[in-house]
Amino acid sequence: MERVLELRVHGVSNTPPDQLLGLRPAPGGDGAQPDLVAGGAVTGFYRASTAGRDDPITVEAYSWGQLTSGARTRRDVERALWTLLLPFTLANVALYARTGIPPDPDQERWASRSGITAWLIRLFCLSLTGTLVITATGIGVDLIGWQCVGLDCLGHLPGPMEFLGNAWWRQDTRALAAGLLLPLLLLAGLGGVAWRTYQYEAEMPAEPHPRPAARQDGPPADPPDRPEPLENPLQDPTFWNGEGQLRRAAVLHLCTGAVIAAAVPVAAVLLMDPPRGLRAAVAWPTVGLLAAVVAIAVVALGRPWLTRRQGATPLGRWSATVALLTGLGLAGTFTLLLLPDGPAGRPLSTYRPPIGCVADPGIAGCRTDRSLPGYDAAVAWLATYQALLLVTIGAVNRSGRRALFGPVAGGLLLPLGVAWTERGLPGLPDAPDALSSWTLAGPAIAIAVTGLLLPRTRPAVPVQPLGAHTDLAWGGRGPALIAGFGWMMAVAYCAGLLYWVSDRLDSRADPSGHSRVVPPLAVFWAGLACVVALLALLAMLVRAAVLLQSLRRAEYAALTADGANLSAHDLRRCRDVSTFRALHRLVGEHAIRLVGCYAAVSVVLVTLCCAAALSRSRPSPLSPSGWPAAIHWTANRGDTMLGWLPVVMSALGLLVYRTDTVRRSVGVIWDVGTFWPRAAHPLAPPSYAERAVPELQTRVAGLLALPPLHPDRMDGVILSGHSQGTVICAAMLLQLPRRWRRRTWFFSYGCQLTRLYGRVFPAYFGPERLRTLARALTWPGGHVSWTNFWRDTDPLGWPVTAGERDVPVVDPEALHPAGGEVADPPIRNHSGYPEAAEFTRERAVVARLLRRAVPSPRQGVG
C-alpha cells in the first residue's frame, strides 16, 4: 500500500507536538502521546504513539520552536538578553528588503543598485556597532575615567574602583587607559557569544544515501537531476550556510569597534595638547594604524570575499591583517595614555573637572561642562551621518544611482556649513551672527531627503502585483525604514544607558543640567525625542483603533444584511465575527501604510534632533521664559524612560519565551527578524532557519530516498506549514532537488507570503518570485502541487494567487450550535486549520494524486 506523510511545521506560537498531531488527552490520561522519531530535544520530528506503518496517511510534526522559545529553563534568561540586540537584527533584516537582487548572487555587481545598497547597509551595520562601542567608551573613558575624579563619585561604582581616585591615576591620561578596558571587554563578550552561535551557520542538509539499482520488477531508477537555473536567491545552495562569511564579517566588526573605542581617548589627547617628542612618535603612527583598519573595513564590506556566503572558508589574509593592525593600534593607544611624561604645555588638570565640588559647589569650574574634549561632537556627528546614511540607503534602493546626488550633496554641505559658521572658510565672508550650526544642519539633511522623493525606478519587465495590497511596501524605501527603526532603538538604548550611569555616579545631579558628571548633549535631545515619538506612536495607535472600528461596522453591516432572519444570538455572534474580519483587513490593508506614516514623522523628528545636537547648546532650566524650562523638564522625563528601556525590553523578551499570548503578538516581529541569516551584521542573534531549513530538507529527502521495500519509505509528502512555518517550508522547497519536489505537495495556511513577506522582501517573495515557487512545484502533468488555505477572520493569513490553488476556509462554521452540540462553533481565526472540513477534503484528494504520481513496487509493474 502506498504511504503518504503529512509533515506539519508550526509557526511562531511554538505549538506543542501533541497539538500539531491533533492528539487529545483521554479521560484516564492513557491516550496517544507524541513520540520522537527523529531529531532531538531542541528540534525534533514527532508521530503519534498509535501511528502504524500501514496507515495510508501518516501525520508527523516538526517542532523547531525551542530554537526561539520553549520551556522555563535557565536558557530563557540568556535568550531574553538576545532581545537587547534587536537593533542589530533589524539592521541585518534591511539587507534582505532590497529590490533588484539577482537570483544568482554571483551576478550581483557592486555598481548595480542592489550592490550599492548592500554596501551601504553593511556600512550602516558597521556604524551601528560603533554606536554601541562609543557608548561603552563614553561610560568607561568619559564618565568614569575623566569626569568621575573624586572618591565620593567613584564610590558609586561596583567593585574596587576607588583606585582611580589615586593621585597617580588622576595624573595625565592614565585613568583613560583603565576606562578603555570597558568597551574592549564588551566587544570580547559579544565576540564570544557570536562564536558560540556559529553552529547554525555550519548546518548543511545531509545528502540521502545513494539509491540502489532498480529491481527488475520495480520502477526504473530516476535519472540524476540536471542543474536548475537559479530564479530565486533562496535557491542558492550556500544561502543557509555562511559560517565563513560570518566569521570574516565578525572580525571586521570587532576590530573596527576596538578602533573606535581607542580613537576616543586618542582624539581627546590630540585636541587637548598636540603631542611632541616621544608622545608624537607614538601618537601619529597609532593614528595611522587606526585609520588603516577603518579604511580596510569600509572597502572590504563591498568585496565578494566578504559578502559571498562560501561555507567554511577560512578567515583569509585580510582578516589576519585587520586583526594585526588593530592589535598594534591598541598597543600604541595604551602606550600613549600611560606615558609618564604627560602632555607638553598646558596641564590636563585645567581640562578636567575640579575635585571637591560636592563640599563646595562654588569652586571655579564646578558648574562648567568638563566632559572629555571631542566626545560630545563625535557622538553628534556619528548620529547625523548615520541618519544621512539611512536616507542614502532608501534613496538608492528606490531610485537607483541617480538618487545619490541629494544625500551626497547634503553630506558634503553639512560640515562645510558648520565650519563656516564656527571658524569661517577661506575666500568667503564671515557668517552672520544670527546663523548657527543647527540652522544649517536642517537644510543640509533636507537636501539629502530629496533623494527619497525621486520617482521610483521601475524594473525592465514590469511585474504586476498578485492582487490588491500586494505591491511594494513603502515605495521601495523598505531597507531604510527597517534599519532606521533599529537605529532609533539603538540610540534610545545608548542614551538611556548614558543617562542612567551619569545619574548613578552623581545621585544629586541633573544630567540634563549642571552637575559633576555630564552625559553628551545628544542624550538631552534624545530624551525630548523619546517623548515626542511616544506621542506620535499613541496617535498612530488611535488612528488604527478608529480604522478598526470603521472596518468592524462595515463588516457587521455585510453580515447582517439579511437581519430579518437573524436572532439576537446570531447578531451577537456577528459582532464577534466582524471584529476578527476587521482585524484581518486592518493588518492586510492598512498596517504597512500606518508604519510608513510613523516613519515619515520619525524622519522629521530625527532631522530636528541631529540639528539640535550639532548646535552644542541646551535650554537652561533657570531661564525666566517658560519654554526652556518645559523643554528641560520633558527631556528629563524622556531620559528617565530611556534609562528603563533596556530593562523593559529584556522583560518583554522573557515574556515572549514564557507567555503564549505575548509570543503571538510580539514574537512575530522577533521570528521574522531572526529568520534571515546574519549576512549584514554578524553580531545579531542567530538565525533559526539556518538550522530548521537544512533539517527539514534532510528529513523530506531522506524519507523519499529510501528503497522501495523499506518499512519507513514514503511515496509522497504533504508539507504542511502554518504561519511562519509556511515561510520555512517555502525556503526549503526552493532548495529541494527536483526529483523530490515531484513527490511533494505544499499546504500553506495562515500564510503571510503576499501581504507581509512579498511586500517587504520582494526579491525573495515578490510576485515574480512566488510565481517561481509555483513553477518549481508544477508536476510534468501540469498540476501545481501547492494549496493555500485562508480565512477572512485570520489577521495573518491571506490568499496567494501565484498559480496555486487558494481554498477559503469558512470561519466559524455556523453562527449557532448544530448537530446536537450545545456550544457555539469556535472562531478559530489563525489556528485550527487542519481541523477544518476544507482541509480534510483537500488532503484526501492530494493523497490520491501523490499515490498515482509514483507507481508503487508493492503493486507490481508490467
Side-chain angles (χ1 to χ4, degrees):
M1 181 178 182
E2 298 86 352
R3 299 176 61 198
V4 173
L5 175 73
E6 183 194 350
L7 181 53
R8 296 178 180 175
V9 184
H10 64 76
V12 299
S13 58
N14 189 20
T15 307
D18 56 343
Q19 296 183 22
L20 274 176
L21 297 172
L23 305 180
R24 291 179 173 83
D30 298 330
Q33 300 295 324
D35 286 344
L36 182 67
V37 295
V42 178
T43 57
F45 296 84
Y46 296 83
R47 294 183 187 177
S49 56
T50 56
R53 294 186 180 275
D54 294 330
D55 294 343
I57 299 180
T58 301
V59 180
E60 185 172 292
Y62 175 51
S63 178
W64 57 269
Q66 294 286 341
L67 295 173
T68 57
S69 63
R72 292 179 173 87
T73 63
R74 65 179 183 179
R75 289 193 62 197
D76 285 354
V77 177
E78 177 186 346
R79 289 181 295 193
L81 294 178
W82 280 115
T83 312
L84 296 178
L85 298 181
L86 185 59
F88 293 169
T89 303
L90 293 175
N92 182 71
V93 170
L95 184 72
Y96 299 95
R98 293 173 294 145
T99 57
I101 302 176
D104 187 350
D106 288 332
Q107 296 177 355
E108 186 173 57
R109 297 294 177 260
W110 185 90
S112 64
R113 176 173 61 173
S114 63
I116 295 175
T117 307
W119 178 71
L120 292 173
I121 291 173
R122 289 189 170 94
L123 187 60
F124 171 78
C125 290
L126 191 67
S127 74
L128 205 60
T129 301
T131 299
L132 176 64
V133 172
I134 204 171
T135 300
T137 307
I139 295 173
V141 174
D142 181 21
L143 299 184
I144 297 176
W146 183 257
Q147 298 189 51
C148 196
V149 295
L151 294 177
D152 54 337
C153 176
L154 294 171
H156 292 90
L157 295 173
M161 301 297 293
E162 287 82 0
F163 73 92
L164 291 176
N166 182 277
W168 189 87
W169 282 102
R170 287 202 308 267
Q171 186 180 359
D172 304 326
T173 55
R174 292 164 183 163
L176 302 187
L180 184 59
L181 295 176
L182 178 63
L184 297 182
L185 290 175
L186 174 64
L187 287 171
L190 285 176
V193 171
W195 193 271
R196 288 176 51 196
T197 61
Y198 289 164
Q199 58 182 337
Y200 290 170
E201 285 77 10
E203 191 88 12
M204 282 291 285
E207 288 291 337
H209 293 295
R211 291 167 293 170
R215 295 163 51 95
Q216 293 183 355
D217 58 346
D222 294 334
D225 287 344
R226 295 180 180 178
E228 295 183 271
L230 298 182
E231 299 182 82
N232 190 314
L234 289 172
Q235 293 175 304
D236 177 19
T238 65
F239 189 87
W240 303 106
N241 180 247
E243 181 185 12
Q245 180 262 349
L246 184 61
R247 292 176 188 269
R248 294 188 293 272
V251 169
L252 283 184
H253 276 252
L254 294 175
C255 290
T256 304
V259 164
I260 291 174
V264 171
V266 170
V269 169
L270 298 179
L271 288 173
M272 288 185 291
D273 196 358
R276 291 185 288 236
L278 177 61
R279 294 178 66 86
V282 176
W284 297 116
T286 299
V287 171
L289 290 170
L290 301 181
V293 172
V294 175
I296 292 174
V298 169
V299 174
L301 291 176
R303 303 305 301 163
W305 68 268
L306 173 74
T307 59
R308 188 72 173 91
R309 298 174 66 81
Q310 297 173 351
T313 304
L315 294 179
R317 297 188 304 273
W318 285 106
S319 300
T321 302
V322 169
L324 176 62
L325 293 178
T326 302
L328 293 176
L330 290 177
T333 299
F334 280 104
T335 302
L336 177 65
L337 297 178
L338 294 176
L339 280 177
D341 54 345
R346 185 177 178 182
L348 292 181
S349 59
T350 60
Y351 292 95
R352 301 190 72 176
I355 300 176
C357 289
V358 175
D360 185 7
I363 298 176
C366 284
R367 294 187 175 273
T368 304
D369 182 359
R370 295 299 183 91
S371 58
L372 187 68
Y375 181 70
D376 283 24
V379 171
W381 283 104
L382 175 63
T384 302
Y385 271 91
Q386 282 179 321
L388 289 173
L389 190 56
L390 287 171
V391 171
T392 310
I393 290 170
V396 174
N397 190 72
R398 172 180 169 83
S399 304
R401 288 175 292 182
R402 61 178 178 171
L404 283 171
F405 176 78
V408 171
L412 293 176
L413 291 176
L414 181 58
L416 292 176
V418 172
W420 180 49
T421 57
E422 294 185 354
R423 301 179 182 178
L425 292 177
L428 293 178
D430 294 338
D433 295 337
L435 195 63
S436 58
S437 300
W438 73 269
T439 58
L440 294 176
I445 299 178
I447 292 174
V449 172
T450 57
L452 296 174
L453 306 178
L454 294 176
R456 181 161 64 92
T457 302
R458 303 292 178 179
V461 179
V463 178
Q464 298 297 327
L466 297 173
H469 308 289
T470 62
D471 54 333
L472 186 63
W474 307 304
R477 307 177 188 94
L481 186 143
I482 296 171
F485 281 135
W487 174 68
M488 289 193 296
M489 182 173 289
V491 170
Y493 281 172
C494 296
L497 189 59
L498 286 167
Y499 180 92
W500 186 85
V501 172
S502 61
D503 187 55
R504 294 304 178 273
L505 292 177
D506 188 1
S507 56
R508 302 179 304 98
D510 180 4
S512 295
H514 299 300
S515 64
R516 292 180 301 163
V517 181
V518 183
L521 175 62
V523 173
F524 174 87
W525 296 111
L528 183 63
C530 171
V531 176
V532 178
L534 288 177
L535 293 176
L537 179 61
L538 179 62
M540 186 191 74
L541 294 177
V542 171
R543 173 58 178 164
V546 172
L547 277 174
L548 180 63
Q549 188 62 24
S550 176
L551 294 172
R552 181 182 178 184
R553 286 195 299 266
E555 293 296 331
Y556 181 75
L559 287 170
T560 59
D562 189 13
N565 299 326
L566 297 176
S567 64
H569 176 273
D570 293 340
L571 293 176
R572 178 182 61 81
R573 290 278 286 167
C574 286
R575 284 195 295 271
D576 296 338
V577 174
S578 64
T579 300
F580 285 100
R581 289 190 177 183
L583 187 60
H584 170 83
R585 292 185 57 187
L586 177 68
V587 174
E589 300 175 9
H590 302 281
I592 295 290
R593 179 173 55 84
L594 289 174
V595 173
C597 292
Y598 185 73
V601 174
S602 300
V603 169
V604 177
L605 184 61
V606 166
T607 301
L608 295 177
C609 286
C610 290
L614 292 174
S615 68
R616 301 183 185 179
S617 63
R618 73 178 85 214
S620 172
L622 303 179
S623 173
S625 175
W627 282 109
I631 292 175
H632 198 274
W633 181 88
T634 305
N636 282 336
R637 304 291 81 75
D639 285 329
T640 302
M641 288 186 289
L642 291 179
W644 285 100
L645 182 61
V647 179
V648 172
M649 291 302 298
S650 298
L652 186 62
L654 189 61
L655 289 176
V656 165
Y657 296 127
R658 289 174 173 257
T659 307
D660 290 341
T661 302
V662 178
R663 173 139 190 87
R664 291 190 183 98
S665 56
V666 180
V668 62
I669 300 176
W670 181 255
D671 279 4
V672 169
T674 54
F675 168 79
W676 299 100
R678 295 178 285 183
H681 205 302
L683 304 181
S687 165
Y688 60 87
E690 286 170 332
R691 178 168 176 178
V693 171
E695 283 188 347
L696 194 60
Q697 182 179 348
T698 299
R699 181 63 175 168
V700 171
L703 290 175
L704 293 176
L706 290 173
L709 297 179
H710 195 282
D712 292 332
R713 170 188 167 90
M714 291 294 168
D715 296 296
V717 172
I718 300 175
L719 194 60
S720 181
H722 173 236
S723 189
Q724 187 68 17
T726 296
V727 184
I728 295 175
C729 292
M732 189 279 291
L733 287 168
L734 288 169
Q735 296 268 334
L736 196 66
R738 185 193 302 118
R739 64 178 180 275
W740 310 129
R741 288 201 309 266
R742 290 176 178 175
R743 294 164 59 185
T744 306
W745 198 288
F746 182 27
F747 276 3
S748 58
Y749 41 94
C751 175
Q752 304 131 22
L753 292 178
T754 51
R755 302 292 178 94
L756 175 59
Y757 277 89
R759 302 185 69 182
V760 179
F761 308 108
Y764 301 90
F765 299 103
E768 186 56 35
R769 302 307 194 209
L770 286 180
R771 293 187 180 103
T772 297
L773 177 59
R775 288 194 297 269
L777 293 173
T778 301
W779 290 358
H783 289 292
V784 180
S785 57
W786 180 8
T787 305
N788 178 63
F789 302 89
W790 67 280
R791 296 187 180 116
D792 56 9
T793 58
D794 184 354
L796 296 176
W798 301 280
V800 175
T801 63
E804 87 303 341
R805 171 176 162 80
D806 277 311
V807 177
V809 178
V810 178
D811 186 45
E813 298 174 358
L815 294 177
H816 47 74
E821 294 288 340
V822 295
D824 290 328
I827 303 175
R828 301 187 183 277
N829 56 83
H830 193 55
S831 62
Y833 277 93
E835 301 173 10
E838 295 87 347
F839 187 95
T840 304
R841 288 195 299 267
E842 185 74 10
R843 188 178 71 162
V845 173
V846 168
R848 288 197 297 270
L849 289 173
L850 286 172
R851 294 189 187 104
R852 293 174 184 174
V854 182
S856 173
R858 300 186 183 96
Q859 296 176 344
V861 177

